[in-house]
């Protein structure tokens, strides 16, 4: 079940920044872009006001959106690398 502070919407407002929570961590931790030198990763981190925890959506056409991080800017989008096969 979703935390009580979460709302569901069919439309994404591209004029706002979002934080990504999960059911396991609740609202205490959010997805964050983490960088230590040349190494970059997304981790679950304590909720704060850092830009690295803020994400926005960019319409790409055909009902697709790019998910971008406020700290990283428009040059990078969230992507899943599925190299398990």
């Amino acid at each position: 079940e979703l935390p009580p502070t979460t709302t569901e919407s069919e439309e994404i407002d591209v004029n706002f920044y979002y934080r990504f929570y999960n059911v396991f961590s609740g609202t205490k931790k959010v997805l964050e872009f983490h960088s230590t030198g040349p190494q970059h990763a997304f981790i679950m981190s304590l909720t704060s006001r850092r830009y690295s925890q803020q994400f926005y959506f960019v319409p790409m056409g055909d009902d697709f959106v790019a998910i971008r991080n406020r700290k990283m800017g428009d040059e990078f989008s969230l992507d899943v690398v599925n190299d398990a096969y």
Side-chain angles (χ1 to χ4, degrees):
E1 184 163 320
L2 296 174
T5 57
T6 303
T7 59
E8 293 184 30
S9 174
E10 290 185 18
E11 292 190 29
I12 296 170
D13 191 334
V14 296
N15 298 305
F16 287 92
Y17 292 102
Y18 294 85
R19 288 190 183 105
F20 294 115
Y21 302 91
N22 67 34
V23 174
F24 180 76
S25 299
T27 58
K28 292 181 180 181
K29 290 187 175 185
V30 295
L31 187 65
E32 178 173 19
F33 170 76
H34 183 71
S35 177
T36 54
Q39 301 295 319
H40 305 298
F42 285 95
I43 61 171
M44 294 304 288
S45 185
L46 292 175
T47 302
S48 72
R49 295 180 179 265
R50 291 189 290 263
Y51 282 2
S52 56
Q53 295 182 353
Q54 299 173 18
F55 294 84
Y56 59 100
F57 296 86
V58 178
M60 302 301 289
D62 293 328
D63 292 330
F64 288 97
V65 294
I67 302 172
R68 297 190 177 152
N69 180 267
R70 189 172 183 181
K71 182 176 180 179
M72 293 297 294
D74 289 329
E75 294 182 32
F76 299 95
S77 295
L78 187 61
D79 194 6
V80 176
V81 177
N82 187 358
D83 58 1
Y85 295 101

